[in-house]
Amino acid sequence: MPVDQIPNFINGEWKNSAAAEFLDIRNPATAETIARMPLSLTAETGQVVAAADRAYQEWRLVPVTERIQYLFRLKHLLEADLEDLARTITLECGKTLDESRGELRRGIENVETACGIPALMQGQISQDIARGIDEMMIRQPLGVVCAITPFNFPAMIPLWFLPYAIACGNTFILKPSDRTPLTMRKIFGLLEKTGIPKGVASLINGGRQVVEALVDHPKISAVSLVGSTAVAKAVYARAAANGKRAQCQGGAKNPIVVLPDADMEMVAKIAADSSFGCAGQRCLAASLAVTVGEAKKTFTRAFVDMAKSRKVGYGLDQGVEMGPVITAESRSRVASLIERGAKDGGKLMLDGRGVKVKGYEKGYFLGPTILQDLPPESEAAQTEIFGPVVAVISVPKIEEAIALINRGRYGNMACLFTTNGSAARKFRSEVETGNVGINLGVAAPIAFFPFSGWKESFFGDLHAQGRHAVEFYTQTKVVIERWPKEWTRKF
Ligand code: NAD
C-alpha cells in the first residue's frame, strides 16, 4: 500500500518538501511503514524562517488578549480529537493508549497555562524613583523562535513550547522528531482550524541539516531542544556561538531510593510504573533503584514480582501495560547493554530479551529487565539505557545513596520512598537533581512549574513550562521617563 509523504506547514500552507531523501516512519509494534518523512532542505528552512519573520511583524502587534483566543480554540479542538490523537501517538511511538491519553492531557495543561499569559507577562512600574521620574520594565517578544523535539512525547513536548511562544507574541517553528512526526502534523491541522494568521506557527520535517540551518539562521532568536545529552550539548553550544538564547534538555539516568521503612507493596507498584511505563522511554523513567539496608531483600522481591506481571503487547490492544521500544536499532542497543551489565557482574533477576508478542512477531518488544548488584561504576549503571531496564544497587545508609546520585553526570530526577519525614527533608535538600519526588515514581512538574533538569540533563537557565517559559520567550525593556511638573499645562 502506498504511504503518505508528510508535508511541511509553511506560511499557513501544507507543502510537500522537494527533499531527495526520506525516512520511513514505522509502527514499532508491527514494523510496518506508516509514512515517509522528508529530510527537508536548507533552502526550505530559509523559506519557513522568512515566512515566520514576515508574520512576526504583524503578530507582535496583536493584543495579547486576542492572541490567546487561538489557544482557547486549540484547547477545545485538542479535547474533541483526543482519542484520534492518542491513537496516532500509539501508532507512531508504541506506548499504550492510556499512556498516549495521559501525554495529551499533560500537553493540553500547557495550552491552558499559556492562556494566562496576559497576566504572566505583565511588567512592573515604580513611580517617582526621583523627582518627576518613573521607571518601568516591560516584556516584549523575541521574534522568530524554534523548537526541536524528541520521539518519546510527540505531542506533549512540542506543547511545552508552542503555546507560550506564540502567546508571548513570537512566531514559532517546530522541527518534530524524525521518528514520530505524525502527531504534530495532526495538531498543526487543528491549529490551522483555529484561524491563526499565516506564518505564526510553522512545521518543518527533517533531521540534523534542518536543525543546524535553524540554529544558524540570523532571524532565529531563540532555540529550544529536547533530546539526548550529546545533541542537547552540541545544539546549546552552536546556539551560544551564534549569540542566541537557548534551553536544551538532555538525557537522564533517574534513581529511586528505597528506605527499609517504606510501604514495599506501594513502592513496588509505583517503581514498576516508573521504570516500565512507556517501555522505559520516559526522560523521568526510574532506571536505578538504590535500596538502603534491609530494603534490598524486601523491595527487590516485590519489584521483580510486579515487573513479571506486566503485560507486554501492542499499545492499541486492551489490557496491554507496556508497548515496544521505538526502533529495531534501539532494541538491539538495549539488549547489548543488558548483556554488558550481566558480564560486568549484574545478576539478571528478570531478563526481557526473549519476550515475543503473539501476532506481532516483527515488533520491537523487550520485556521488563532487572539487574541486581550491578557495580555502580559499570557502563549499564552509568549510561542512559532508555528501555525497560533497571539496575538495583544496595547501600547501607541514605548518605551513601545521596552521594551515589550526586556523583552521576545527569540531574533530571531523583525519588525517595520512606515514611520518615526527616529523611525526606534531608533528601529534598541534598540531592542534586532538578526534579525530586517523595513517595512518587515520576516527578513530572505540572504545567505551571518549570521542568527543572540539572547537570547534563539541561543546558541553559530558563526551563520549559510556566513562568520560566514566559521569561524565556520575552525580553525585558526598562524605560525611565522624566516628566517635570513645570511642563504641566493648565487645560
Ligand atoms: P535525539 O537526541 O536523537 O533527537 C532529538 C531531536 O534532535 C530530534 O528532533 C532529532 O531529529 C534532532 N537531532 C538528532 N541528532 C541531531 C544532531 N546531531 N544535530 C542536531 N539535531 C539532531 O533524541 P531522541 O532519541 O529523539 O529522544 C530521546 C532522548 O531525549 C533521551 O535521551 C531522553 O532522555 C531525552 N529526553 C529528555 C527530556 C528532558 O526533559 N530532559 C524529555 C524527553 C526526552
Side-chain angles (χ1 to χ4, degrees), residues 256-260 289-296 373 376 392-405 407:
I256 55 168
V257 176
V258 187
L259 298 192
V290 185
T291 59
V292 175
E294 279 302 295
K296 176 173 180 175
D373 294 336
V392 183
I393 294 176
S394 302
V395 296
K397 293 225 155 57
I398 185 173
E399 285 75 10
E400 280 148 86
I402 294 174
L404 188 144
I405 295 171
R407 279 200 301 276

Side-chain angles (χ1 to χ4, degrees), residues 223-402:
V223 177
S224 306
L225 179 136
V226 182
S228 51
T229 287
V231 171
K233 206 172 187 173
V235 168
Y236 185 70
R238 197 169 181 124
N242 280 308
K244 290 179 188 181
R245 187 177 284 210
Q247 48 176 195
C248 297
Q249 299 181 218
K253 183 87 185 172
N254 303 303
I256 55 168
V257 176
V258 187
L259 298 192
D261 67 341
D263 174 342
M264 288 308 161
E265 220 171 288
M266 181 188 96
V267 181
K269 182 175 179 331
I270 296 178
D273 284 343
S274 172
S275 303
F276 309 123
C278 299
Q281 300 171 118
R282 269 196 291 231
C283 60
L284 296 180
S287 51
L288 269 184
V290 185
T291 59
V292 175
E294 279 302 295
K296 176 173 180 175
K297 271 192 229 125
T298 47
F299 167 75
T300 313
R301 206 166 36 228
F303 186 52
V304 171
D305 287 348
M306 196 54 79
K308 258 188 206 156
S309 69
R310 211 157 184 94
K311 185 166 179 215
V312 181
Y314 188 8
L316 289 183
D317 290 345
Q318 279 266 316
V320 166
E321 294 171 299
M322 190 173 116
V325 294
I326 189 70
T327 55
E329 299 74 51
S330 176
R331 188 182 51 186
S332 323
R333 194 184 60 81
V334 175
S336 64
L337 279 161
I338 298 172
E339 181 72 37
R340 186 69 198 263
K343 276 206 186 110
D344 285 345
K347 265 187 261 144
L348 269 167
M349 308 296 285
L350 193 60
D351 185 350
R353 286 175 293 177
V355 161
K356 294 266 176 291
V357 177
K358 202 158 175 280
Y360 304 108
E361 285 76 11
K362 292 191 175 150
Y364 315 134
F365 295 99
L366 273 168
T369 299
I370 300 173
L371 283 154
Q372 198 178 23
D373 294 336
L374 200 58
E377 308 315 324
S378 63
E379 192 187 354
Q382 296 275 325
T383 312
E384 177 180 46
I385 297 181
F386 225 54
V389 182
V390 181
V392 183
I393 294 176
S394 302
V395 296
K397 293 225 155 57
I398 185 173
E399 285 75 10
E400 280 148 86
I402 294 174

Side-chain angles (χ1 to χ4, degrees), residues 148-153 157 160 175-179 206-208 211-212 225-229 231-232 235 249-252 282-283 384 386 412 451 457:
I148 298 125
T149 52
F151 80 82
N152 62 332
F153 286 97
I157 293 184
W160 281 353
K175 200 236 41 96
S177 162
D178 46 28
R179 277 167 284 168
R208 181 175 182 164
V211 175
E212 293 182 348
L225 179 136
V226 182
S228 51
T229 287
V231 171
V235 168
Q249 299 181 218
R282 269 196 291 231
C283 60
E384 177 180 46
F386 225 54
N412 225 27
F451 194 103
S457 297

